[in-house]
Amino acid sequence: MSGVRHRAKAGSSSGKAASAEDGERAYTNQTSETETETENESDFVDDSTRKGGQSGKGGDAGRGLHEKGPGPFAKIGIKIKNVPKIDEKENFSNLQTTSKWFPNAYKAPDIQEESADELAIRKRQEFWTRTRWTFAMFLSFMFIIASGQFYVAALVVCIKVGMFYEILGLKRNKEKDKRIPWFRTLNWYFFATTIYFIYGRILQHHIEVVHFESKLIGWLTDHHTFKSFALWCFGFVTFILSLEKSTYKYQFTQFGWTHITLLMVVVSASCMIKNMFEGMVWFFIPVCLVIWNDVYAYIFGRFWGKTPLIKLSPKKTWEGFMGGFITTIVFGLWVSYLIPQFDEMICAQDELTIQPFVRFNCEPHAIFKATIPLNVPKWAQKATADMPEMVQLGPKVMMMPFMLHTINLSLFASLIAPFGGFFASGFKRAFRIKDFGDLIPGHGGITDRMDCQIIMSVFVAVYRATFFKIAQDISVGKILSQVDQLSDMEKQELLSRLQAAMLQP
């Protein structure tokens, strides 16, 4: 019986060997024409893999390929020959161009270390590039501010388009997008619908005041909220109909990603536009405070920074943070004294006009009038005694209430708003990218410059709505927009009552 069992085992073993040989022979015949391509595929194996068995890391793979036994590839008839070493820089470049989810995630490593002189030269060049573009952006911003609210609103829209494009691209998979018809177009459709809804609600009143005689404008403003919801529903139904079985998870992820981006980007834009039409000062000063804090935090950290501030941003230092804080408070007091002297900055705008450089005249609000007496210490009086008369300080100075509000804005801009930048830094680290884009030399992308402005604009809107309201609830423009909706008989009655009210002593 034992002999029978031994013979049976030998027969089964020989049968398995014969079947294995037949399978290997069949595989060899099928791949005889592509043997060269198969051998070339071994070029993708890095030299470190061959060394894995010697170094102890990846030992099984290293021994399977180059040391003990035929290795796993021998079972399917692939022979691994001498593998050439892949250049590290070239390898990372290929990886960067072929990455699907994060096209900016990989950076070629620096093979040669910079010397101290080369490092100093590079940092100096980066500093001056950043400085030049900072001044260029600020001068362009001042020109648009002088042009008026309409052009500032257009600038905000352009900025939000750039931010939406940069953030949306972080989770984009071009290969999957190609298999889904109109998928990327649908994301921009939701963006346009949200802009129409948000901006329509803000600008609808201003459009009614100027009496635009246009059928298109009338159609866009009539039943605006219902039309906005109908447009979103159309996009929602289109999204459901475009679902593909093989990309369910990707499509739903992109749907949620798109709406979260819209909430973060467009809602902040609505706060900016609303603040601006209540007086350009509520848009201009908060933006300048954030810019000032960012610039001087960079300068103090660049020249005197030694103590790290937060792990998310290794280059941020306590010296830069405190330097930006102190200089922002001083700048806020100065700019809040200077800007309210221009009516164009403090007047709320009821009418929407596309004419640039329009001059406004209005009665300043009480917070823009110097009504708070402030005692000046003697050392400050002596320090300014030899200065020009316009900057000399007497025993008492009168202070505007708006300056106190600006101190609160300065505190937020220097203590809380920078955490918007830290949030963006952590966000970029999560996606393994250095910047959101490269549109602005020395600064990165648009989102890199607007990360702190988002939370700042929301704070200003909440601050104004909570503590005071600068614009009056009743104005001539608002009354006229309501008069247009009255019948002829009601207009005649209104005119009679106004005449009677004017004749009363």
Side-chain angles (χ1 to χ4, degrees), residues 226-419:
F226 179 80
K227 290 177 180 177
S228 300
F229 181 71
L231 290 172
W232 184 88
C233 288
F234 176 79
F236 177 73
V237 172
T238 304
F239 167 76
I240 298 300
L241 296 177
S242 67
L243 290 174
E244 297 287 343
K245 186 176 181 180
S246 60
T247 57
Y248 281 162
K249 184 176 181 180
Y250 175 72
Q251 287 182 270
F252 278 104
T253 300
Q254 285 290 298
F255 184 82
W257 183 260
T258 299
H259 282 74
I260 291 176
T261 304
L262 290 173
L263 178 65
M264 180 175 63
V265 172
V266 181
V267 170
S268 64
S270 66
C271 294
M272 288 183 177
I273 300 301
K274 191 172 182 180
N275 296 337
M276 178 183 60
F277 277 99
E278 298 296 346
M280 187 67 77
V281 66
W282 295 105
F283 172 82
F284 178 75
I285 288 184
V287 170
C288 289
L289 290 174
V290 172
I291 294 174
W292 187 275
N293 181 77
D294 183 61
V295 170
Y296 276 87
Y298 173 77
I299 292 176
F300 275 82
R302 172 70 173 79
F303 292 100
W304 298 285
K306 294 181 180 179
T307 310
L309 175 63
I310 189 170
K311 293 181 179 179
L312 287 175
S313 297
K315 294 183 179 180
K316 305 294 184 181
T317 62
W318 275 104
E319 291 80 5
F321 186 78
M322 296 306 299
F325 165 71
I326 296 173
T327 56
T328 302
I329 298 296
V330 176
F331 173 76
L333 290 172
W334 175 75
V335 75
S336 62
Y337 171 78
L338 177 65
I339 296 300
Q341 299 181 21
F342 302 92
D343 289 344
E344 291 81 3
M345 301 298 293
I346 63 176
C347 293
Q349 184 177 359
D350 290 328
E351 299 182 359
L352 180 64
T353 176
I354 61 176
Q355 182 180 354
F357 309 108
V358 178
R359 297 186 63 85
F360 293 96
N361 293 308
C362 65
E363 178 66 22
H365 192 271
I367 66 171
F368 298 115
K369 296 179 180 179
T371 56
I372 302 176
L374 184 65
N375 295 325
V376 179
K378 293 183 178 180
W379 64 266
Q381 299 179 35
K382 294 180 179 179
T384 59
D386 298 332
M387 294 184 179
E389 185 177 355
M390 61 179 301
V391 295
Q392 290 181 4
L393 296 177
K396 286 186 178 182
V397 296
M398 302 302 292
M399 188 176 182
M400 292 181 291
F402 178 70
M403 298 177 71
L404 299 178
H405 293 292
T406 306
I407 293 177
N408 295 331
L409 299 181
S410 301
L411 290 172
F412 188 90
S414 56
L415 297 179
I416 306 299
F419 282 84

Side-chain angles (χ1 to χ4, degrees), residues 157-176:
V157 172
C158 294
I159 291 174
K160 298 311 173 183
V161 168
M163 293 179 63
F164 185 74
Y165 174 79
E166 291 176 352
I167 298 176
L168 202 65
L170 294 178
K171 292 187 69 64
R172 182 179 181 182
N173 189 321
K174 294 183 179 180
E175 296 297 329
K176 292 184 178 180

Side-chain angles (χ1 to χ4, degrees), residues 48-62:
S48 60
T49 308
R50 291 202 309 275
K51 298 178 180 179
Q54 301 173 4
S55 61
K57 297 180 181 179
D60 294 339

